[in-house]
Amino acid sequence: MPRAFPLDAPAHPVKTARMSSATLTIDLDAIAANWRALDAMTGTETAAVVKADAYGLGADRVGRVLARAGARHFFVAIAEEGVALRQALGPDVAIHVFSGHMPGDADMIGDMDLVPMINSLDQMIRHAEALPGHPFGVQLDSGMNRLGMEPEEWQAVRQIALAQNPVMLMSHLACADEPDQAMNAQQLAAFRAMTDDTDVPRCFANTGGVLLGGDYHFDLARPGIGIYGGRPYTDARPVVTLDIPVIQCRDIALGETVGYGCDFTAPRAMRIATVAAGYADGILRAMGPKTSLWAEDTPCPVTGRISMDLIGVDITDLGRDPSHLQLLGPHQGIDVLADNAGTIGYEILTSLGARYMRRYIGG
Ligand SMILES: *Cc1c(COP(=O)(O)O)cnc(C)c1O
């Protein structure tokens, strides 16, 4: 018996798929411009942090456009990300790994010419035994208590470490996006105390650190979020646009409810559009009550709970049925959505879903 729905049926034509899924547009020119602007704020060299698939925007495309803009140093979180980036960028850039040298990483680090940021004596021994002579950096803890050697540990091993010529000494700021935080100066002093009497290149500033000024820049700055258009770099060019198709529009009467849990009750006769994206696409449920989608210049509030694949939107005052609505764009960036959801732009970006049709412009 032939199957009613053969499993080997041809895939839907691409055109159909594109029209039914939301479109995430990533502006590579804005990414390059943001990196150049951050680079111009430092008198030193500037790297790019492209961990977590370049904050969700695609490490291969983002990496290539930044390499063309002049970036020669990249940072990733784990060795596997470094492997993928090496394949995208070729041999001419340095790729640094924040997690250092983890068990099982030696082949990736060696074959793909990655530079582990060694976090502990254990890692240093592992690295020296597995890949003697292979370049490494050292990550120092200046107070964040997340990664890196503590001052006492560094004191104990620094002579051995320095004898092996690390390519870089780095540390990370816990509060760089709060310029008035006393922690910044404390960490700066701690980092300097651990490194001033070495001649190894130093790397300290994330995006917030770049904005804190020259004392924080050292030899290599390593911004991430600012490149992608997020706070604290408020002058950044916006990078992402998200357009979501409308599936259906309907009239509801005063007193009717919309969506799960009947959370929203219509205070008047209304028209509701249902759009094709939801929390499975990274549109966090928590942002619902404060968030609008935009029909060109008209804000259309979310009505009811954000569901997995769908969102109800109030288009009553729009006076027409739109074909799509915009969640991210000129009227509303990642930091607005972050505020609406009680989170940060980093989480909005890295949550952006796999189901979007991703379109790169510029570059
Ligand atoms: C993520 C990260 C950065 C980049 O920070 P931004 O705030 O995104 O600029 C720099 N250094 C380390 C160690 C990081 O984990």
Side-chain angles (χ1 to χ4, degrees), residues 48-136:
V49 178
V50 294
K51 65 194 181 193
D53 202 25
Y55 291 42
L57 300 184
D60 50 350
R61 301 295 299 266
V62 169
R64 284 204 296 271
V65 85
L66 291 175
R68 271 202 299 279
R72 286 294 164 267
H73 295 265
F74 292 85
F75 286 85
V76 293
I78 58 174
E80 284 81 356
E81 294 178 340
V83 170
L85 191 66
R86 178 65 72 204
Q87 281 160 350
L89 298 187
D92 296 334
V93 299
I95 300 175
H96 311 269
V97 183
F98 287 136
S99 63
H101 191 139
M102 296 284 285
D105 280 358
D107 285 352
M108 288 187 281
I109 290 171
D111 294 348
M112 293 297 173
D113 193 16
L114 309 179
V115 182
M117 296 288 115
I118 298 298
N119 285 298
S120 64
L121 176 58
D122 279 356
Q123 286 201 347
M124 186 134 63
I125 294 167
R126 181 181 300 130
H127 185 68
E129 285 180 356
L131 298 167
H134 185 93
F136 68 99

Side-chain angles (χ1 to χ4, degrees), residues 49 51 55 75 77 98 139 144 146-147 170-173 176-177 203-209 222-228 231-232 346:
V49 178
K51 65 194 181 193
Y55 291 42
F75 286 85
F98 287 136
Q139 189 159 184
M144 188 177 185
R146 195 175 68 165
L147 281 181
M170 67 160 276
S171 189
H172 191 42
L173 288 157
D177 54 346
C203 181
F204 193 48
N206 62 347
T207 302
R222 44 168 216 283
I225 191 71
I227 300 172
Y228 310 107
R231 269 195 318 241
Y346 302 68

Side-chain angles (χ1 to χ4, degrees), residues 117-288:
M117 296 288 115
I118 298 298
N119 285 298
S120 64
L121 176 58
D122 279 356
Q123 286 201 347
M124 186 134 63
I125 294 167
R126 181 181 300 130
H127 185 68
E129 285 180 356
L131 298 167
H134 185 93
F136 68 99
V138 179
Q139 189 159 184
L140 303 169
D141 178 41
S142 55
M144 188 177 185
N145 286 314
R146 195 175 68 165
L147 281 181
M149 293 192 210
E150 303 268 324
E152 304 73 42
E153 188 177 13
W154 176 235
Q155 192 55 42
V157 305
R158 52 174 277 154
Q159 233 176 336
I160 305 165
L162 293 174
Q164 298 171 66
N165 295 316
V167 297
M168 180 191 301
L169 302 178
M170 67 160 276
S171 189
H172 191 42
L173 288 157
C175 308
D177 54 346
E178 300 169 57
D180 299 331
Q181 251 280 358
M183 184 71 166
N184 295 318
Q186 279 171 35
Q187 285 195 262
L188 178 62
F191 184 56
R192 293 196 57 160
M194 284 188 276
T195 59
D196 264 355
D197 54 352
T198 73
D199 50 16
V200 181
R202 291 184 283 186
C203 181
F204 193 48
N206 62 347
T207 302
V210 170
L211 301 174
L212 288 176
D215 288 350
Y216 289 81
H217 294 166
F218 295 94
D219 301 292
L220 180 70
R222 44 168 216 283
I225 191 71
I227 300 172
Y228 310 107
R231 269 195 318 241
Y233 181 31
T234 45
D235 293 336
R237 261 170 69 177
V239 167
V240 286
T241 310
L242 180 59
D243 295 290
I244 309 175
V246 173
I247 303 175
Q248 194 182 13
C249 298
R250 59 166 32 77
D251 291 321
I252 60 171
L254 179 153
E256 286 195 70
T257 63
V258 178
Y260 283 122
C262 302
D263 256 14
F264 178 84
T265 305
R268 55 173 174 152
M270 297 177 78
R271 191 155 178 84
I272 302 294
T274 303
V275 301
Y279 62 77
D281 303 290
I283 304 171
L284 309 176
R285 287 171 85 252
M287 77 174 64

